[in-house]
Amino acid sequence: MADEKNILTVAILGGTGNEGSGLAARWAMQGYRVIIGSRNPEKAEAKASELNQQIGADVISGLGNAEAAAAADIVVLSVPYAAHKATLEGVQSQVAGKILVDVTVPLQPPKVRTVHLPEGQSAAMEAQALLGDDVRVVAAFQNISAEHLADPAHVVECDVLVCGNDADAKAEVIKLVEAAGMRGFDAGRLQNAIAVESLTPVLIGLNIRYKGKGAGIRITGLD
Amino acid sequence: MADEKNILTVAILGGTGNEGSGLAARWAMQGYRVIIGSRNPEKAEAKASELNQQIGADVISGLGNAEAAAAADIVVLSVPYAAHKATLEGVQSQVAGKILVDVTVPLQPPKVRTVHLPEGQSAAMEAQALLGDDVRVVAAFQNISAEHLADPAHVVECDVLVCGNDADAKAEVIKLVEAAGMRGFDAGRLQNAIAVESLTPVLIGLNIRYKGKGAGIRITGLD
C-alpha cells in the first residue's frame, strides 16, 4: 500500500480495457491514486466513474493518454500490440524519467495461440528502445487473465514475473503486483520479457484446448 | 505405461547427463525399454549399468548416439545447446520417420539467467528445420530441474508444456511425461517452444535470486 504521506499516482494507458480496468480498481482500493488514460478522454472519464461507483470511492479519474501520463508517477501501458508503438510515441515526453510498466503482449490475430516474436524480440524491449534509457521500462502482468482481474474479489491464481534492468523500478512494480492481490517475482533483465510475453499465447491455447477460462502459472520449487 | 505386447524403446541421446539419466530411470521403472546414448559408448554403458543397479532391473542399455537412435522408437535429445546441431547431424538418418523429443534449452553461458534466442528462434525449431518434415519434432521437459528428476522418488512440482506440429506425436510424448511422474499439457505448435525454452533461464534466475533449487511452474486456472 502506498504511504499516506506519499501517495503514488498510477496512470493506466489503455485503461478502459478489461485488464487495465481490473488493475485500476484493485490499486484504487489499496490507496493508490489512479488515472485511466485513453485516446478518447470521454471514454476514460466514463470508465473512471463506473469504476469509482464499483468500489464506492472517488479516487479514479479519466484523461487522454498524454495528460494521464504527465500527471502520473508510474505509467502502465495496457494496449493491444497494434497500438503499442503509436501510444508510446504519443507519450514520450510525458514518461521521461518515470517507470513505464509494459503489459503488452505482441499477439498476432487471428493466430493468438501461437508465439509471434515482434521485430524487437519483445514489446517491452521495443518500448525501451523507443523511449531511451531515461525511462525505466518494467514488463509485468502479461500472463494475467483479464477476466479474473476485472472482478476485484476474484483471487487471481497466477504469479507475475517482473522483468527490467533497474532493480528499484522492479521493486516498485512488485509492490503494485502485491497491491493488486498477486505474487510478484523479480524475473531478471528486461530481455526476459521474451519468455513472459511469449507465454501468453501458450496460455490462450491451453484455455481453448482444455476449455478453461483463466489459465495461468504458479512458480513452484522455491521453498 | 507401455503396453506389455508393444513395449516402446526410448533412446536418450546425451543420456549420461542428470536430466537424461533421471528420465531414463523413471521410464524404465514404468516398463519402457530405455537406451542411453552418448558420443562415448563406454560412458553410456557405464551409466546404464549404474541406473539398472539403482532401480534393481536390467532394462537400460548403453550405446553410441547413432546406434541408440537407430534402435529406438522414440528418440529424446538431451544435450547442451553447444552440441545440439552436431548431435542431430550425426543421427539424421537414424531418426527418419520417428518422433524426436527435444529437451534442449539454448542457454548461452555464462549468461544462463537471461533469455537468448538462437538463430532459428528455438532449438526445437532448428531441429525440425535440420531434420525435415519426415521427423516429428516435439519439444518437452525443458523446464524440469535436472536435480529433481535424477531422484526417481522425488515428486517433481513442475508441469511439462509439450509443443509440436503433430497431435499424435504430442499425445505419445504426454504419455512419456506422465510415465515420468509429471503432468503434460498440449501447448500448441512447435513454434511455442520459444516460450517454453526461454522460460528456463528465467527459472534459473529465480533459483539464484530466491535461493531455490528447483524453480518450476504449475499451470493453474484450467478447472
Side-chain angles (χ1 to χ4, degrees):
Chain A
M1 193 183 305
D3 188 323
E4 283 279 326
K5 294 160 203 156
N6 185 20
I7 295 175
L8 283 175
T9 300
V10 183
I12 308 173
L13 313 186
T16 56
N18 267 342
E19 181 130 35
S21 303
L23 290 171
R26 287 165 183 254
W27 288 330
M29 289 166 69
Q30 293 295 318
Y32 286 88
R33 270 194 210 105
V34 179
I35 308 172
I36 300 282
S38 169
R39 269 193 310 182
N40 179 340
E42 284 167 30
K43 278 180 78 176
E45 279 170 43
K47 178 56 80 174
S49 100
E50 178 195 323
L51 291 173
N52 280 324
Q53 218 159 9
Q54 186 190 331
I55 64 171
D58 192 17
V59 290
I60 307 178
S61 54
L63 289 171
N65 279 330
E67 293 73 24
D73 300 302
I74 298 180
V75 179
V76 178
L77 180 61
S78 174
V79 295
Y81 181 66
H84 186 249
K85 192 179 173 203
T87 306
L88 285 170
E89 285 170 344
V91 300
Q92 192 151 9
S93 64
Q94 289 82 0
V95 297
K98 298 178 181 173
I99 295 172
L100 180 101
V101 185
D102 201 343
V103 179
T104 309
V105 177
L107 297 175
Q108 197 172 47
K111 296 188 175 177
V112 295
R113 44 177 152 165
T114 299
V115 173
H116 162 246
L117 292 174
E119 227 176 275
Q121 299 197 324
S122 77
M125 288 156 77
E126 291 179 336
Q128 187 72 74
L130 193 150
L131 297 171
D133 286 343
D134 182 37
V135 176
R136 292 177 291 166
V137 175
V138 175
F141 299 109
Q142 305 100 318
N143 303 144
I144 307 298
S145 153
E147 237 173 286
H148 286 176
L149 261 189
D151 173 6
H154 186 95
V155 177
V156 177
E157 293 275 358
C158 187
D159 294 328
V160 176
L161 297 169
V162 177
C163 305
N165 298 336
D166 184 284
D168 293 339
K170 278 191 282 193
E172 203 64 68
V173 174
I174 288 173
K175 282 187 213 162
L176 283 173
V177 172
E178 289 166 357
M182 290 162 276
R183 294 198 305 176
F185 290 92
D186 177 349
R189 308 273 307 164
L190 191 65
Q191 203 169 334
N192 287 356
I194 296 169
V196 188
E197 292 179 15
S198 63
L199 192 59
T200 299
V202 172
L203 296 173
I204 293 172
L206 290 177
N207 279 332
I208 296 169
R209 239 167 275 119
Y210 294 92
K211 303 189 198 314
K213 276 189 174 174
I217 57 157
R218 279 270 190 229
I219 299 299
T220 59
L222 288 183
D223 315 320
Chain B
M1 194 183 304
D3 187 323
E4 282 280 326
K5 293 161 205 156
N6 186 21
I7 296 174
L8 284 174
T9 300
V10 182
I12 308 172
L13 313 185
T16 55
N18 266 342
E19 181 130 34
S21 303
L23 290 170
R26 286 165 182 254
W27 288 330
M29 289 167 69
Q30 292 295 318
Y32 287 88
R33 272 195 208 102
V34 178
I35 308 173
I36 299 282
S38 169
R39 270 192 309 181
N40 179 341
E42 284 168 28
K43 277 180 77 175
E45 279 171 42
K47 178 57 80 173
S49 100
E50 177 195 322
L51 290 173
N52 280 325
Q53 219 160 5
Q54 184 188 333
I55 65 172
D58 191 18
V59 290
I60 306 177
S61 54
L63 288 171
N65 279 330
E67 294 71 26
D73 301 301
I74 299 179
V75 179
V76 178
L77 181 59
S78 174
V79 294
Y81 182 64
H84 186 248
K85 192 179 173 205
T87 306
L88 285 170
E89 284 170 345
V91 300
Q92 193 151 7
S93 65
Q94 288 82 359
V95 297
K98 298 178 182 173
I99 295 171
L100 181 102
V101 184
D102 202 344
V103 179
T104 309
V105 177
L107 296 176
Q108 197 173 44
K111 296 188 175 178
V112 295
R113 45 178 152 166
T114 299
V115 173
H116 162 246
L117 292 174
E119 225 177 275
Q121 299 196 325
S122 77
M125 289 156 78
E126 291 179 336
Q128 186 73 73
L130 192 151
L131 297 171
D133 286 344
D134 183 37
V135 176
R136 293 178 291 166
V137 175
V138 176
F141 298 110
Q142 305 99 318
N143 303 144
I144 307 300
S145 152
E147 238 173 287
H148 286 175
L149 262 189
D151 173 6
H154 187 95
V155 177
V156 177
E157 292 275 358
C158 187
D159 294 329
V160 176
L161 296 169
V162 178
C163 304
N165 298 335
D166 185 285
D168 294 339
K170 278 190 281 193
E172 203 65 66
V173 174
I174 288 173
K175 282 188 215 161
L176 283 173
V177 172
E178 289 166 356
M182 289 163 275
R183 295 197 306 175
F185 290 92
D186 178 348
R189 309 272 307 165
L190 192 64
Q191 203 168 334
N192 287 355
I194 296 169
V196 189
E197 292 178 13
S198 62
L199 192 58
T200 299
V202 172
L203 296 174
I204 293 172
L206 290 177
N207 278 333
I208 296 169
R209 240 167 273 117
Y210 294 93
K211 303 189 199 313
K213 277 192 175 172
I217 58 159
R218 281 269 189 225
I219 299 298
T220 60
L222 288 182
D223 314 320

